[in-house]
Amino acid sequence: MTTYLLTDAAPLGEGRTDLLLADGVIAAMGADARARAGQDAVTIDATGLVLLPGLVDLHTHLREPGREDAETIASGTRAAALGGFTAVHAMANTTPVQDTAGVVEQVWRLGREAGWVDVHPVGAVSVGLAGEQLAELGAMADSAATVRVFSDDGKCVHDPVLMRRALEYVKAFDGVIAQHAQEPRLTEGAQMHEGVVSAEIGLRGWPAVAEEAIIARDVLLAEHVGSRLHVCHLSTAGSVEIVRWAKSRGIDVTAEATPHHLLLTDELARGYDPVFKVNPPLRTEADVEAVRAGLADGTIDIVGTDHAPHTREDKDCEWAAAAFGMTGLETALSVVQLTMVDTGRMTWADVARVLSRTPSRIGRVPDQGRPIAVGEPANLVLVDPAAVRTVVPEQQATASANSPLRGRELPGRVVATFLRGRATVLDGTPQDDPRAPRYAVGR
């Protein structure tokens, strides 16, 4: 394995030091790093760059098996590496559904074969995502994939009895239920956020209470059974307040926000462009502000991309017929920098917390999100915070182009990503490309 010497790096944006990456770990730091680096070590000038632990996404849709026309595990994880991720959790709404040990092991093995990031399958809560019968939770937990996160994401576990049983069941192996909070009866035929914009442009609205009612129910169920609950893609000011209240009571609940709910609003629906159609929908400016505040004060624990690739046919159509979802793996870090770091709401250490350390803890992934210290696994990302780039979806590694950020200028660029000391990205280039440079530069 190649040895790398990172010079003048700034771990978490604070101070500068040298690091030696060897044998899959951070072998040395400071003056000792240069002293121990051999002649064969590849030197990377990290001047002006921020060093973070490798990012971990608790909410990724990789589509394989079943919808390889939209994404494959190989293409999706390649995009993840370019976004600075070293681990992703692959959601269960594939075809077939990830509701058995056999299917989650298939996804896990395909992730290992691809080699870009660690892939942790998310098991379905119910058989076929139908919301009627518990899936093989225990078998998936005991499989080679060691599943610890379970979700019917894309659909809500709307039956309170089934939700209670799932919360009780996963306690046996320290699992967590990740809920897609959407009351189905309140959102039948809904197309976007219910509010002024939906009324003016004539699209059926999706009320905030449809999300909030499920979160309120589920935090009480989690308290009742003493289990772990994770709220997926929280999007309303009311949801932030409910989670804040639940945490004040000591309920074991965590929550995530997506990059698009930190940045975009329902005003974008006025052009009827389905690229802005997403589940849950883009909300109001007041909701966006509340989500940013909740992330800043720790009410919202993490950022999850909800990377949801779709084929051109599923998005290049009228709004009502279009699929819900947006891509996000390659732009997530930049959006967090734009909305949270550059505005002074968060530091780079906070970014490491919400995009690496805490998602690792929630997903029970012990070798990711680790401190940047000697002896720790070398799962790392180097970021140039001063870079500016324009989003061109067709130039991204993901197999789909349904990014809502087309043409936007975003700050930050991933310069290098290391998975257990192996460079998956150098100088912003994925390392399976024979044209890729054999070394990385700073800026």
Side-chain angles (χ1 to χ4, degrees), residues 325-388:
M326 303 168 168
T327 60
L329 282 169
E330 292 165 81
T331 52
L333 184 58
S334 289
V335 172
V336 172
Q337 179 182 338
L338 175 68
T339 59
M340 305 301 294
V341 178
D342 290 353
T343 58
R345 289 181 181 265
M346 291 173 58
T347 66
W348 286 107
D350 293 323
V351 172
R353 171 174 52 82
V354 303
L355 272 168
S356 183
R357 189 172 71 246
T358 303
S360 298
R361 176 180 59 80
I362 295 170
R364 299 301 193 251
V365 183
D367 60 344
Q368 296 280 352
R370 301 291 300 169
I372 299 175
V374 174
E376 296 288 353
N379 298 317
L380 301 166
V381 56
L382 275 170
V383 183
D384 181 358
V388 177

XYZ file of all heavy atoms in Angstrom, residues 325-388:
468
model
N -37.256 13.236 -5.622
C -35.874 12.972 -5.251
C -34.843 13.799 -5.983
O -35.074 14.281 -7.093
N -33.678 13.959 -5.329
C -32.572 14.764 -5.832
C -31.256 14.059 -5.529
O -31.148 13.354 -4.529
C -32.535 16.130 -5.127
C -33.801 16.938 -5.236
S -33.760 18.349 -4.085
C -35.186 19.281 -4.699
N -30.257 14.281 -6.366
C -28.917 13.799 -6.037
C -28.258 14.758 -5.044
O -28.684 15.899 -4.902
C -28.049 13.677 -7.294
O -27.930 14.965 -7.908
C -28.647 12.686 -8.279
N -27.192 14.293 -4.380
C -26.584 15.178 -3.394
C -25.238 14.771 -2.835
O -24.622 15.545 -2.099
N -24.747 13.581 -3.153
C -23.499 13.127 -2.541
C -22.310 14.022 -2.873
O -21.445 14.253 -2.033
C -23.191 11.693 -2.994
C -23.976 10.571 -2.313
C -23.765 9.263 -3.051
C -23.580 10.431 -0.853
N -22.248 14.536 -4.083
C -21.071 15.284 -4.515
C -21.129 16.771 -4.163
O -20.146 17.488 -4.352
C -20.877 15.100 -6.021
C -20.496 13.678 -6.379
C -20.643 13.358 -7.852
O -19.735 13.719 -8.625
O -21.651 12.738 -8.230
N -22.260 17.218 -3.646
C -22.411 18.635 -3.310
C -22.739 18.876 -1.841
O -22.800 20.023 -1.400
C -23.519 19.273 -4.169
O -24.719 18.483 -4.065
C -23.105 19.349 -5.626
N -22.938 17.809 -1.058
C -23.397 17.962 0.329
C -22.449 18.810 1.164
O -22.874 19.734 1.877
C -23.581 16.588 0.974
N -21.161 18.511 1.099
C -20.200 19.230 1.924
C -20.167 20.711 1.554
O -20.084 21.581 2.427
C -18.818 18.605 1.782
C -17.705 19.192 2.659
C -18.067 19.110 4.132
C -16.392 18.469 2.393
N -20.258 21.011 0.272
C -20.255 22.406 -0.165
C -21.485 23.151 0.343
O -21.399 24.326 0.726
C -20.194 22.478 -1.693
O -18.933 22.088 -2.172
N -22.640 22.496 0.330
C -23.862 23.152 0.823
C -23.764 23.420 2.315
O -24.166 24.489 2.804
C -25.105 22.307 0.492
C -26.349 22.887 1.163
C -25.318 22.231 -1.015
N -23.203 22.476 3.061
C -23.022 22.699 4.495
C -22.046 23.845 4.734
O -22.252 24.689 5.613
C -22.553 21.407 5.186
C -22.183 21.675 6.646
C -23.652 20.349 5.119
N -20.971 23.902 3.944
C -20.049 25.032 4.080
C -20.756 26.348 3.782
O -20.622 27.333 4.526
C -18.854 24.868 3.136
C -17.867 26.041 3.228
C -16.694 25.934 2.272
O -16.351 24.846 1.806
N -16.077 27.062 1.952
N -21.535 26.381 2.710
C -22.214 27.605 2.293
C -23.219 28.084 3.334
O -23.254 29.279 3.678
C -22.920 27.355 0.957
C -23.798 28.488 0.419
C -22.934 29.675 0.012
C -24.635 27.990 -0.761
N -24.034 27.172 3.840
C -25.143 27.571 4.713
C -24.767 27.657 6.184
O -25.390 28.406 6.938
C -26.318 26.591 4.566
O -25.885 25.259 4.910
C -26.867 26.595 3.154
N -23.745 26.900 6.601
C -23.452 26.799 8.033
C -22.075 27.333 8.417
O -21.927 28.020 9.419
C -23.602 25.343 8.496
C -24.952 24.718 8.190
S -26.373 25.594 8.917
C -26.075 25.350 10.656
N -21.037 27.006 7.629
C -19.679 27.429 7.985
C -19.425 28.872 7.564
O -19.009 29.717 8.372
C -18.632 26.489 7.352
C -17.220 26.970 7.697
C -18.831 25.060 7.839
N -19.704 29.169 6.307
C -19.427 30.519 5.802
C -20.335 31.569 6.425
O -20.029 32.770 6.367
C -19.570 30.547 4.276
C -18.464 29.771 3.573
O -17.524 29.323 4.272
O -18.546 29.598 2.344
N -21.441 31.139 7.031
C -22.335 32.072 7.726
C -21.977 32.219 9.199
O -22.616 32.999 9.910
C -23.796 31.596 7.615
O -23.904 30.272 8.172
C -24.266 31.582 6.171
N -20.978 31.467 9.674
C -20.554 31.563 11.065
C -21.365 30.748 12.038
O -21.126 30.807 13.247
N -22.289 29.947 11.542
C -23.115 29.135 12.452
C -22.377 27.909 12.979
O -22.682 27.396 14.050
C -24.385 28.666 11.741
C -25.423 29.755 11.449
C -26.622 29.121 10.759
N -27.656 30.088 10.410
C -28.713 30.363 11.166
N -28.850 29.764 12.326
N -29.620 31.232 10.768
N -21.411 27.402 12.198
C -20.692 26.199 12.580
C -19.226 26.331 12.234
O -18.855 27.098 11.336
C -21.285 24.961 11.865
C -22.680 24.574 12.336
S -23.441 23.240 11.361
C -22.266 21.920 11.549
N -18.402 25.578 12.943
C -16.979 25.477 12.634
C -16.735 24.188 11.850
O -17.626 23.340 11.714
C -16.154 25.439 13.921
O -16.466 24.217 14.633
C -16.464 26.635 14.821
N -15.507 24.015 11.370
C -15.181 22.763 10.696
C -15.232 21.581 11.659
O -15.551 20.449 11.257
C -13.824 22.860 10.016
C -13.868 23.687 8.775
C -13.370 24.945 8.590
C -14.494 23.342 7.530
N -13.633 25.403 7.319
C -14.321 24.440 6.648
C -15.180 22.210 7.072
C -14.804 24.418 5.337
C -15.660 22.195 5.775
C -15.473 23.284 4.929
N -14.949 21.827 12.934
C -15.103 20.756 13.927
C -16.565 20.334 14.028
O -16.878 19.145 14.197
C -14.579 21.218 15.279
N -17.482 21.296 13.920
C -18.907 20.971 13.920
C -19.279 20.168 12.678
O -20.105 19.250 12.739
C -19.753 22.243 13.964
C -19.614 23.007 15.260
O -19.498 22.373 16.324
O -19.612 24.262 15.216
N -18.665 20.515 11.539
C -18.922 19.767 10.312
C -18.506 18.314 10.498
O -19.224 17.384 10.090
C -18.181 20.405 9.125
C -18.297 19.524 7.884
C -18.739 21.798 8.829
N -17.353 18.091 11.115
C -16.898 16.727 11.385
C -17.890 15.989 12.270
O -18.121 14.784 12.110
C -15.515 16.753 12.032
N -18.498 16.711 13.194
C -19.487 16.085 14.089
C -20.736 15.660 13.336
O -21.200 14.529 13.479
C -19.845 17.062 15.217
C -21.008 16.614 16.093
C -21.201 17.554 17.274
N -21.303 18.951 16.872
C -22.431 19.526 16.418
N -23.537 18.820 16.313
N -22.441 20.820 16.090
N -21.298 16.560 12.513
C -22.591 16.265 11.896
C -22.479 15.425 10.625
O -23.460 14.804 10.207
C -23.381 17.561 11.598
C -23.585 18.366 12.866
C -22.733 18.399 10.510
N -21.295 15.394 10.019
C -21.123 14.638 8.779
C -20.214 13.422 8.935
O -19.981 12.708 7.961
C -20.570 15.542 7.683
C -21.611 16.303 6.848
C -20.956 17.377 5.997
C -22.428 15.352 5.979
N -19.714 13.177 10.140
C -18.826 12.030 10.306
C -19.029 11.336 11.653
O -19.500 10.206 11.711
C -17.362 12.471 10.152
O -16.495 11.371 10.232
N -18.689 12.042 12.734
C -18.678 11.374 14.030
C -20.066 10.906 14.472
O -20.241 9.740 14.859
C -18.067 12.294 15.085
C -17.830 11.587 16.423
C -17.055 12.462 17.382
N -17.824 13.582 17.900
C -17.575 14.865 17.650
N -16.561 15.178 16.839
N -18.302 15.826 18.161
N -21.049 11.789 14.410
C -22.373 11.417 14.913
C -23.088 10.412 14.017
O -23.692 9.456 14.529
C -23.234 12.664 15.148
O -22.544 13.536 16.051
C -24.577 12.298 15.757
N -23.064 10.563 12.682
C -23.674 9.486 11.886
C -23.019 8.136 12.096
O -23.695 7.100 12.063
C -23.528 9.983 10.442
C -22.601 11.145 10.481
C -22.676 11.709 11.851
N -21.713 8.110 12.348
C -21.044 6.844 12.665
C -21.588 6.252 13.953
O -21.824 5.040 14.051
C -19.535 7.059 12.796
O -18.975 7.521 11.601
N -21.797 7.127 14.944
C -22.321 6.649 16.225
C -23.751 6.134 16.085
O -24.090 5.070 16.605
C -22.275 7.780 17.257
C -22.884 7.403 18.602
C -22.806 8.546 19.593
N -23.496 9.739 19.130
C -24.836 9.896 19.218
N -25.598 8.937 19.712
N -25.380 11.024 18.800
N -24.588 6.860 15.369
C -25.977 6.435 15.201
C -26.042 5.101 14.472
O -26.804 4.204 14.841
C -26.778 7.510 14.430
C -26.869 8.795 15.255
C -28.189 6.995 14.101
C -27.424 9.975 14.472
N -25.212 4.944 13.431
C -25.210 3.716 12.646
C -24.386 2.603 13.246
O -24.333 1.507 12.681
N -23.746 2.871 14.392
C -22.899 1.883 15.075
C -21.810 1.362 14.138
O -21.627 0.161 13.959
C -23.734 0.737 15.640
C -24.780 1.153 16.678
C -24.148 1.844 17.875
N -25.049 1.998 19.009
C -25.567 3.166 19.413
N -25.282 4.288 18.737
N -26.353 3.236 20.460
N -21.077 2.334 13.546
C -19.957 2.020 12.663
C -18.674 2.416 13.398
O -18.247 3.568 13.345
C -20.070 2.783 11.328
C -18.930 2.387 10.395
C -21.421 2.513 10.670
N -18.040 1.499 14.100
C -16.966 1.879 15.020
C -15.690 2.379 14.373
O -14.926 3.122 14.988
C -16.700 0.581 15.805
C -17.174 -0.513 14.898
C -18.342 0.060 14.152
N -15.412 1.987 13.105
C -14.125 2.363 12.505
C -14.215 3.599 11.621
O -13.255 3.938 10.934
C -13.534 1.193 11.716
C -14.443 0.733 10.592
O -15.639 1.095 10.614
O -13.975 0.001 9.698
N -15.358 4.286 11.623
C -15.502 5.528 10.892
C -15.770 6.662 11.879
O -16.140 6.432 13.033
C -16.662 5.436 9.889
C -16.463 4.420 8.782
C -15.582 4.932 7.665
O -15.210 6.096 7.619
N -15.234 4.041 6.722
N -15.563 7.906 11.417
C -15.811 9.039 12.289
C -14.867 9.124 13.468
O -15.191 9.726 14.500
N -13.705 8.554 13.340
C -12.759 8.480 14.444
C -11.966 9.782 14.568
O -11.881 10.567 13.620
C -11.792 7.319 14.219
C -12.467 5.949 14.086
C -13.071 5.503 15.377
N -12.046 5.393 16.422
C -12.310 5.221 17.712
N -13.561 5.185 18.142
N -11.322 5.113 18.570
N -11.364 10.032 15.729
C -10.521 11.225 15.873
C -9.338 11.190 14.915
O -8.881 10.117 14.502
C -10.047 11.151 17.333
C -11.015 10.244 18.023
C -11.466 9.263 16.984
N -8.840 12.364 14.562
C -7.628 12.448 13.742
C -6.452 12.366 14.709
O -6.013 13.363 15.292
C -7.617 13.746 12.918
C -8.828 13.773 11.982
C -6.325 13.861 12.115
C -8.982 15.062 11.197
N -5.961 11.151 14.898
C -4.932 10.903 15.900
C -4.115 9.694 15.481
O -4.571 8.851 14.696
C -5.557 10.664 17.275
N -2.906 9.608 16.014
C -2.012 8.495 15.696
C -2.662 7.178 16.099
O -3.222 7.042 17.187
C -0.656 8.667 16.405
C 0.230 7.441 16.194
C 0.048 9.911 15.888
N -2.601 6.209 15.198
C -3.148 4.892 15.449
C -4.572 4.707 14.972
O -5.068 3.574 14.918
N -5.245 5.803 14.620
C -6.624 5.706 14.157
C -6.668 5.345 12.673
O -5.738 5.643 11.928
C -7.362 7.029 14.382
C -7.516 7.415 15.840
C -8.531 6.548 16.568
O -9.207 5.734 15.906
O -8.663 6.684 17.801
N -7.764 4.690 12.236
C -7.893 4.374 10.809
C -7.781 5.635 9.956
O -8.336 6.682 10.305
C -9.298 3.762 10.705
C -9.587 3.251 12.082
C -8.915 4.201 13.025
N -7.067 5.532 8.843
C -6.838 6.699 7.989
C -8.003 6.873 7.016
O -7.854 6.745 5.794
C -5.512 6.556 7.250
N -9.188 7.130 7.585
C -10.363 7.505 6.807
C -10.469 9.024 6.889
O -10.911 9.578 7.894
C -11.621 6.847 7.374
C -11.551 5.333 7.321
O -11.124 4.762 6.327
N -11.949 4.679 8.400
N -10.034 9.696 5.818
C -9.828 11.141 5.884
C -10.255 11.814 4.588
O -10.307 11.174 3.524
C -8.347 11.448 6.134
C -7.718 10.880 7.413
C -6.202 10.965 7.338
C -8.240 11.605 8.641
N -10.520 13.120 4.675
C -10.805 13.913 3.483
C -10.117 15.266 3.616
O -10.142 15.887 4.685
C -12.328 14.076 3.250
C -13.021 14.685 4.450
C -12.606 14.919 2.016
N -9.469 15.684 2.536
C -8.854 17.006 2.458
C -9.747 17.904 1.612
O -10.115 17.548 0.482
C -7.472 16.919 1.808
C -6.279 16.584 2.705
C -5.049 16.304 1.831
C -5.988 17.699 3.693
N -10.076 19.076 2.153
C -11.012 19.988 1.501
C -10.340 21.334 1.295
O -9.664 21.847 2.194
C -12.277 20.182 2.373
C -13.286 21.076 1.656
C -12.899 18.841 2.728
N -10.553 21.905 0.117
C -10.103 23.263 -0.153
C -11.293 24.198 0.045
O -12.160 24.298 -0.829
C -9.583 23.373 -1.581
C -9.085 24.778 -1.915
O -9.184 25.669 -1.045
O -8.617 24.977 -3.047
N -11.369 24.890 1.192
C -12.550 25.724 1.465
C -12.610 26.990 0.626
O -13.667 27.613 0.510
C -12.401 26.057 2.946
C -10.930 26.020 3.193
C -10.396 24.948 2.293
N -11.465 27.387 0.020
C -11.429 28.622 -0.757
C -11.811 28.417 -2.222
O -12.027 29.387 -2.951
C -10.035 29.245 -0.677
N -11.908 27.174 -2.648
C -12.247 26.898 -4.041
C -13.709 27.253 -4.312
O -14.558 27.238 -3.416
C -12.000 25.432 -4.365
N -14.007 27.593 -5.536
C -15.376 27.845 -5.981
C -15.611 27.028 -7.242
O -14.761 27.003 -8.144
C -15.616 29.347 -6.266
C -17.021 29.572 -6.785
C -15.374 30.174 -5.012
